[in-house]
Amino acid sequence: MRRSYERGEVATGEPKHFVLVHGAWHGAWCWATTARLLLARGHRVTPLDLPSHGADETSPASVTLGHYAGRVISALDEIEGTVVLVGHSMGGIVISTVAEARPAKVEKLVYLSAFLLPNGTSLLDVALQDSDSLATPNLCVKPDEGVVDLNRDAIADIFYADCEREVVDRARTLLKPNPLAPFATPLALTDGGYGSVRRFYISCAKDRAITPAAQRSMLAAMPCEAVHELHTDHSPFFSQPDRLDDVLVEIARA
């Protein structure tokens, strides 16, 4: 099922606890408006900095996909009840890994223009096949430092095409080199773990980082219970936060 959102309000319904996982190079800072909007509707929200991202000072060369997942799992273990676990972009591989480890803690998985990968597949396996993506040709891989960075001059076109200039300028100062290891790590998922959790996808129709074609290909291989479409760039938490909020609440109520 695919739904297209342009405007409007969605009833809040029963309060949920959203755990928000950012994508590559970003941090919890990208979720500030989303968190505020969800809180205003009575929900609980936990945005996280993955290791070496945002305010976290862990050396990126030492960070693995297991460290990413461990950060989220630690948060889930301190939360009473189940959560709606949202992953943006690279965050998709993190929430999948977490759901494998803690399926009973995750009520729903929400992939926001995110990597939705089957067992045994790495992020790089899929990203390098997305020939129309603007991210791939602007990657700066530094194996000696254990990081992959991005050409900062290209970030407006890649991530923030529909955003105000001040958003781009602020992001340019906050983006950090990303640990390389998580990109190359194949996922280890089972039907009994990850496969037992309900999953939903929010597609960004104007995305130039993970292109709509790549999103459709992933969804064909890994169908979700519902697909909701936003007519936005890769970063709807900046470009259309109200509409993103509506979709998240709609999924939480499903």
Side-chain angles (χ1 to χ4, degrees), residues 2 8 16 22 30 35 44 74 79 98 104 139 151 172 180 183 195 216 221 228:
R2 181 181 291 267
K16 302 290 185 178
H22 61 78
C30 71
R44 291 170 290 169
S74 293
I79 293 172
V98 171
L139 293 177
N151 176 9
R172 190 174 282 115
L180 179 58
F183 279 41
R216 289 192 295 270
H228 301 259

Side-chain angles (χ1 to χ4, degrees), residues 65-66 69-70 73 92-102 111 186-189 194:
L65 178 56
I73 290 168
I93 65 172
V94 181
I95 67 171
S96 294
T97 304
V98 171
E100 175 65 26
R102 294 288 191 277
Y111 295 82
L187 299 192
L189 307 175
Y194 167 78

Side-chain angles (χ1 to χ4, degrees), residues 34 37 43 107 150 157 186 189:
T34 299
L37 292 170
H43 298 288
E107 179 183 343
L150 197 68
D157 291 335
L189 307 175

